[in-house]
Amino acid sequence: MTRSLIVLTFNEIDGVRAMLPRLTADYADEVLVVDGGSTDGTIEYCRAMGLRVVGQERPGRGEACRVGASHTRGDALVFFSPDGNEDPADIPRLFDALEADGDVAIASRFLPGARNEEDDVALPLRKWTNQAFSLAANAIWNRRARVTDTINGFRGIHRAAFDTLALRSMGYTIEFEMTIRAMKRRMRIVEIPTREGKRVGGRTKAPSFRTGIVFLRFLVLELFERGG
């Protein structure tokens, strides 16, 4: 099984400086950076590290995932955001999970042994919201083992599964759509525990309240407009 690592960037110069040197040559057969139009030196830094960088004509994380898939050749794809939240050491574990048993492999922040960024927060609203969406997706569509983290973007998927799912989301609902559609098709979704780190520099591109509304709207549309 050939492995393609797709690094998603948009104005993440602090993150790429901190995270990309931690990638080792044996993580994947190829590494591609998909950039959403950075102006802070992210593109130049990645190219200086010898990484291939492609841009995207349309904005959005979902579009970035599709661009990454179309510009790589591997049988298995892992998507990685170098913002500090995702641990590069989990990249080979996601590939191994795909090779062993999964159509989709998710780095879960909620399995035993995992850590969520808000675990030490008195009111972890983002964590509770994520878990609520996972509860809904499992109750409505899942007929296999429960998926604890349906939304996390740190994940892998077989190329054949990616093509079959025909994902349409332009933005941050891409991973939620991937999980739901995989559930509908009874695909094998496996999870590994991950320890979510603190963000390195800059602000999140997905503010919690606004993003939560977008996800709720997507869930309703998926349930009623697309045949449940």
Side-chain angles (χ1 to χ4, degrees):
M1 184 184 76
T2 54
R3 303 178 171 192
S4 296
L5 175 63
I6 300 170
V7 181
L8 307 177
T9 63
F10 178 53
N11 287 333
E12 287 290 358
I13 187 60
D14 293 329
V16 295
R17 284 173 175 164
M19 295 290 110
L20 294 191
R22 295 176 57 187
L23 303 180
T24 66
D26 61 350
Y27 277 4
D29 299 293
E30 64 175 339
V31 179
L32 174 72
V33 177
V34 179
D35 187 83
S38 294
T39 58
D40 64 348
T42 294
I43 296 173
E44 293 78 6
Y45 180 86
C46 291
R47 286 177 173 158
M49 289 193 65
L51 297 174
R52 182 164 62 106
V53 181
V54 298
Q56 53 188 99
E57 295 183 1
R58 297 186 296 175
R61 183 180 177 90
E63 180 66 7
C65 292
R66 286 187 290 272
V67 169
S70 69
H71 282 80
T72 52
R73 303 179 306 276
D75 303 311
L77 313 173
V78 165
F79 300 96
F80 173 71
S81 298
D83 57 8
N85 289 148
E86 300 173 3
D87 185 354
D90 287 331
I91 292 171
R93 298 177 62 219
L94 287 169
F95 279 124
D96 289 345
L98 290 174
E99 189 161 13
D101 194 38
D103 296 304
V104 178
I106 302 172
S108 171
R109 299 161 291 181
F110 307 121
L111 282 172
R115 182 186 185 279
N116 179 267
E117 186 181 23
E118 290 189 331
D119 278 347
D120 300 324
V121 177
L123 291 173
L125 298 180
R126 174 173 161 266
K127 174 182 178 180
W128 291 343
T129 301
N130 285 337
Q131 291 178 320
F133 281 121
S134 291
L135 179 64
N138 278 285
I140 298 168
W141 292 292
N142 194 14
R143 299 299 178 266
R144 287 179 173 266
R146 183 173 70 95
V147 179
T148 65
D149 199 344
T150 59
I151 289 174
N152 198 13
F154 192 19
R155 61 176 57 205
I157 185 171
H158 278 285
R159 178 177 298 279
F162 187 89
D163 293 340
T164 297
L165 295 180
L167 305 171
R168 297 184 292 181
S169 291
M170 292 299 295
Y172 283 96
T173 56
I174 183 72
E175 287 88 13
F176 198 31
E177 180 185 18
M178 184 187 300
T179 306
I180 289 172
R181 290 196 167 197
M183 286 176 172
K184 288 180 177 181
R185 289 159 178 77
R186 307 294 191 265
M187 290 184 177
R188 295 164 298 173
I189 303 173
V190 297
E191 295 182 290
I192 64 167
T194 191
R195 299 186 65 81
E196 186 177 39
K198 297 294 183 182
R199 182 174 176 80
V200 178
R203 293 184 177 183
T204 178
K205 309 297 191 305
S208 296
F209 180 77
R210 186 174 64 193
T211 303
I213 296 299
V214 171
F215 272 80
L216 181 59
R217 180 176 181 273
F218 174 83
L219 182 67
V220 172
L221 290 174
E222 192 71 18
L223 179 59
F224 293 105
E225 293 188 9
R226 300 178 188 175

